[in-house]
Amino acid sequence: AVDGKRLLIGGQYLRVPRGTTLRVDLDLDVLGEQSAVELHQDVFLDGRLQFEREDRELRAGERWRLSYEIGVPRDAGQLVVQLYATTVSGDVATIQFHDARLTMTAGDATSDAVLVIEDAVSRSVPR
C-alpha cells in the first residue's frame, strides 16, 4: 500500500441471520527494536460501517486486547471484519497474535448497538 497501511485480517463476506450477536476478540503483541505501529479495526455489514477503532498506537513490548459485541437486528448479506496496521517508527515490527476470533451467536438481537467489552493496552509479558 502506498501509505504503508497493511491488511492483517480481512473479512470473509459472511451472511449473518437476523437476531445474531457478533463478537470480535483480538489479542496481540508488537515486537521489534524501538518499533511502533498504528492499528485500525473495522466492521461493515452490507457496506455500512458498524464499528471502527482507529489510531490505536502500540509500541514494541505492548499488548492490545480488544473485545466487543454487535447486534444484527436484520438479515445481513455481507459481513466484513478488517484489521490494518501502519508502521509508525522502526524498521521492523512484528505483530504476534494470541487471539483473533469472530463468534456469531444466534439469538434475538433487536439493536445494532455496539458493546465494547475491553479496549486496553498493557505491557507484554516476556516469554
Side-chain angles (χ1 to χ4, degrees):
V2 173
D3 60 0
K5 190 169 159 182
R6 298 281 186 254
L7 180 64
L8 301 178
I9 297 173
Q12 291 78 21
Y13 296 93
L14 300 171
R15 196 181 76 64
V16 183
R18 170 179 59 244
T20 299
T21 298
L22 304 174
R23 179 169 171 143
V24 174
D25 293 288
L26 296 173
D27 181 358
L28 55 90
D29 287 318
V30 173
L31 312 172
E33 195 71 24
Q34 298 178 336
S35 57
V37 296
E38 192 172 88
L39 298 165
H40 177 118
Q41 201 275 310
D42 55 35
V43 175
F44 289 87
L45 274 171
D46 290 334
R48 288 188 7 252
L49 183 64
Q50 294 297 121
F51 176 80
E52 183 172 42
R53 179 61 172 98
E54 295 182 284
D55 305 330
R56 172 54 94 184
E57 188 170 313
L58 284 184
R59 301 198 167 281
E62 290 184 329
R63 184 170 187 166
W64 181 39
R65 290 181 178 96
L66 175 65
S67 295
Y68 59 90
E69 292 180 345
I70 302 173
V72 182
R74 59 199 148 277
D75 289 336
Q78 212 177 67
L79 167 66
V80 179
V81 179
Q82 302 171 120
L83 175 65
Y84 292 93
T86 305
T87 302
V88 175
S89 65
D91 291 331
V92 178
T94 300
I95 297 173
Q96 177 178 21
F97 285 89
H98 300 282
D99 194 8
R101 188 178 353 176
L102 167 65
T103 307
M104 296 194 292
T105 305
D108 55 3
T110 58
S111 164
D112 62 2
V114 175
L115 170 64
V116 176
I117 298 160
E118 184 175 22
D119 182 358
V121 173
S122 61
R123 296 299 302 164
S124 297
V125 177
R127 300 190 201 314

